[in-house]
Amino acid sequence: MSTPHAVPGSWIDGAAVDGTGPAHTVIDPATDKAVTTVSLAMSADVDSAIESARAAQGGWGAATPAERSEVLRRLADVMRAEAGALAAQEVAQTGRTVRLATEFDVPGSIDNVDFFAGLARNFDGKASAEYSGDHTSSIRREPVGVVGSISPWNYPLQMAVWKVIPALAAGCAVVLKPAELTPLTTLTLARLATEAGLPDGVFNVVVGTGAEVGSALSGHAGLDMVTFTGSTGVGRQVMAQAARNGTRVQLELGGKAPFVVFDDADLTAAVHGAVAGSLINAGQDCTAATRAIVAPALYDDFVDGVAELMASMTVGDPTDPDTDMGSLSSRAHRDKVAGMVDRAVADGARLVTGGTVVDGPGAFYRPTLLADVTEEAEVYRDEVFGPVLTVSTFTDDDDAIRRANDTVYGLAASAWTRDVFRAQRAGREIHAGCVWINDHIPIISEMPHGGFGASGFGKDMSAYSLDEYLAVKHVMSDITALAEKPWHRTVFAGGR
Ligand code: NAD
């Protein structure tokens, strides 16, 4: 089932391998045209990938931190050399703007690799000491083992990097399943890692469907850990599949970030922040601003300002550097977003701008602002994952915080105020893995990303992420050399 443009859909044991499944066409969602065809993996390919990872695990885990660091440093260098190609591939398979790919996805991914190249040489732990008086206790940080990773389609390269690089820094071997909609930069990353000197088998990729390859991977007895980024519903299935083997799990799931604007906020900054924070990557961002909760005194001006700025956005050809917003990731997803907006309007939300599909080829949707949205509305409670912002209001600061927290999710949030005590309160009381003050979206390799509640648990990025892939071992060595240890009196009545 191969075509002249087909690429092998797996990278196993340091080489491109055709999957044993059917051919899958990767579509450019901005043009509806085929980018390439990939031979999908099946569960038998997952078995081979895990076998290859298991064989490579011991050697990679035994490499010195400096050796692992050096491979990652070289990977960052080859990614820098291939930055243009990586960005072009990311644009073609996702419909995101070339500006987002070249100024965020690719440099952000390279910075992450650089960061973990450094961190690979810096394992933390408690000091060795004679805590019991009779033993020397020391802590070892050992690689968890073979990790199965599953990533989503919204930031294909960055999500692959976030999942794989800290695991490699920790000395783990990885089998990664990207979303089949967007597998290309992940396959390139695996090839570049091999070119950078990563030993064969340490990083394997299997491109396949969630139902076939995702479930085969997450339920595989040959894994020591499963890490997943994607929707909350699928994350829970992954957890259940991993539970069959009692496999360690980390989950980065959906979000529904509140964007709280207090009455002393800088209105212009809040308006710009809301539009940038809700429309980045066409809103297909788990931390995107989705629920603006705005003080009554600023409400009308905020709605007018956001609507005007949204209406000025250029939506179209993602390869044009002057385009503000590209297409959504697929027509099916665009239709899901449109359906949620249509139902919101039918339920009484006020459509201030947008709410329309852009005619012609491609999965384009206009930036959309829905005002006067109630707390019960589907569009207020469920993840839309598109260029859609809702606006509602609050009565006082207690009510603002209550509304911000009135969600099952807890990934990200922002508060806009010039009052230091309000800012501190928002940072303290909003239940989310990240709370921005007077900004929304920025991330940085040194700081953790991860959610609470239905947004999952565990961290990507930062030293906290390295910890996910390191098992903590206590080695306790007797220093008394006594045959009869003092603690034996708890067992032997009267001594022996
Ligand atoms: P998704 O849950 O549909 O798919 C994610 C991955 O899981 C894909 O690779 C998919 O093929 C795979 N999958 C599907 N069914 C599976 C199964 N039964 N077993 C194992 N794997 C399976 O998510 P998506 O639509 O690709 O991505 C969007 C979602 O990802 C949004 O909910 C978004 O909030 C979330 N997300 C979260 C973060 C975070 O860090 N918390 C980051 C990015 C995206």
Side-chain angles (χ1 to χ4, degrees):
M1 291 278 288
S2 62
T3 73
H5 305 294
V7 295
S10 299
W11 188 268
I12 298 178
D13 209 20
V17 177
D18 266 321
T20 56
H24 167 76
T25 305
V26 177
I27 303 281
D28 177 345
T31 61
D32 297 336
K33 294 197 173 123
V35 179
T36 189
T37 304
V38 172
S39 52
L40 291 185
M42 302 297 279
S43 61
D45 303 304
V46 174
D47 293 340
S48 328
I50 291 178
E51 208 173 291
S52 146
R54 289 229 78 86
Q57 168 60 49
W60 182 243
T64 64
E67 287 164 346
R68 291 201 288 262
S69 170
E70 178 57 18
V71 171
L72 294 181
R73 202 190 53 69
R74 283 199 302 267
L75 173 58
D77 286 343
V78 292
M79 289 174 75
R80 261 185 284 275
E82 298 269 342
L86 279 166
Q89 244 181 359
E90 201 73 328
V91 172
Q93 68 179 352
T94 62
R96 73 205 320 96
T97 61
V98 66
R99 243 175 323 116
L100 186 68
T102 52
E103 294 180 25
F104 182 53
D105 294 291
V106 174
S109 299
I110 294 170
D111 185 68
N112 219 251
V113 178
D114 270 332
F115 173 76
F116 283 103
L119 205 61
R121 304 183 71 167
N122 189 11
F123 290 4
D124 280 340
K126 209 169 162 67
S128 294
E130 290 65 47
Y131 295 101
S132 78
D134 292 339
H135 310 83
T136 297
S137 282
S138 57
I139 289 294
R140 294 179 53 79
R141 307 298 305 272
E142 298 184 351
V144 161
V146 175
V147 178
S149 298
I150 298 174
S151 58
W153 46 254
N154 63 334
Y155 288 101
L157 179 63
Q158 291 205 74
M159 293 305 104
V161 163
W162 290 11
K163 296 275 118 184
V164 171
I165 302 302
L168 299 184
C172 297
V174 178
V175 177
L176 171 66
K177 189 206 95 65
E180 70 275 23
L181 278 183
T182 56
L184 302 179
T185 44
T186 305
L187 288 164
T188 302
L189 181 69
R191 175 175 58 77
L192 296 180
T194 299
E195 283 174 26
L198 189 71
D200 294 350
V202 174
F203 175 19
N204 308 276
V205 176
V206 277
V207 178
T209 65
E212 171 77 21
V213 168
S215 56
L217 187 61
S218 50
H220 206 289
L223 294 180
D224 300 294
M225 175 173 172
V226 174
T227 174
F228 171 86
T229 299
S231 60
T232 298
V234 174
R236 288 177 179 169
Q237 286 177 42
V238 164
M239 196 172 182
Q241 284 153 188
R244 291 206 302 267
N245 303 304
T247 309
R248 176 181 178 128
V249 173
Q250 183 211 355
L251 300 175
E252 300 285 350
L253 308 177
K256 192 72 195 173
F259 183 103
V260 183
V261 183
F262 290 99
D263 59 10
D264 65 326
D266 175 337
L267 181 66
T268 309
V271 164
H272 278 82
V275 175
S278 62
L279 299 187
I280 184 166
N281 199 22
Q284 301 162 119
D285 182 310
C286 50
T287 64
T290 61
R291 294 182 293 138
I293 300 167
V294 182
L298 298 184
Y299 189 86
D300 289 340
D301 289 341
F302 180 86
V303 169
D304 291 347
V306 169
E308 193 181 329
L309 201 51
M310 278 188 171
S312 76
M313 299 285 287
T314 315
V315 179
D317 179 5
T319 63
D320 180 344
D322 289 334
T323 298
D324 296 317
M325 202 178 91
S327 77
L328 273 68
S329 62
S330 67
R331 279 182 169 257
H333 183 59
R334 194 264 313 269
D335 293 346
K336 181 181 160 238
V337 169
M340 284 183 87
V341 171
D342 292 348
R343 287 195 293 281
V345 173
D347 285 351
R350 176 160 60 95
L351 179 64
V352 189
T353 187
T356 50
V357 159
V358 177
D359 287 338
F364 295 97
Y365 195 73
R366 284 296 312 171
T368 299
L369 182 66
L370 292 166
D372 312 340
V373 172
T374 66
E375 284 180 90
E376 297 74 36
E378 173 198 44
V379 75
Y380 185 88
R381 308 213 72 83
D382 295 348
E383 205 178 23
V384 180
F385 225 57
V388 179
L389 180 68
T390 69
V391 194
S392 42
T393 192
F394 60 84
T395 53
D396 56 18
D397 286 18
D398 287 349
D399 190 41
I401 300 282
R402 180 193 65 74
R403 285 171 185 259
N405 286 335
D406 182 21
T407 173
V408 294
Y409 295 109
L411 188 58
S414 65
W416 297 73
T417 175
R418 285 181 275 206
D419 179 320
V420 68
F421 295 105
R422 274 176 162 163
Q424 287 175 350
R425 182 180 178 194
R428 224 173 30 245
E429 295 188 15
I430 295 182
H431 189 65
C434 173
V435 179
W436 288 286
I437 305 296
N438 295 324
D439 208 342
H440 196 115
I441 288 294
I443 50 173
I444 193 79
S445 297
E446 289 83 350
M447 285 291 134
H449 167 90
F452 302 160
S455 295
F457 49 83
K459 299 294 173 193
D460 283 339
M461 310 212 293
S462 78
Y464 293 96
S465 167
L466 189 71
D467 284 350
E468 301 284 345
Y469 301 98
L470 286 169
V472 177
K473 182 189 277 182
H474 172 204
V475 178
M476 195 173 195
S477 307
D478 171 69
I479 57 170
T480 67
L482 295 171
E484 292 180 38
K485 316 289 188 199
W487 72 268
H488 286 181
R489 67 180 178 272
T490 60
V491 177
F492 303 124
R496 291 287 197 287

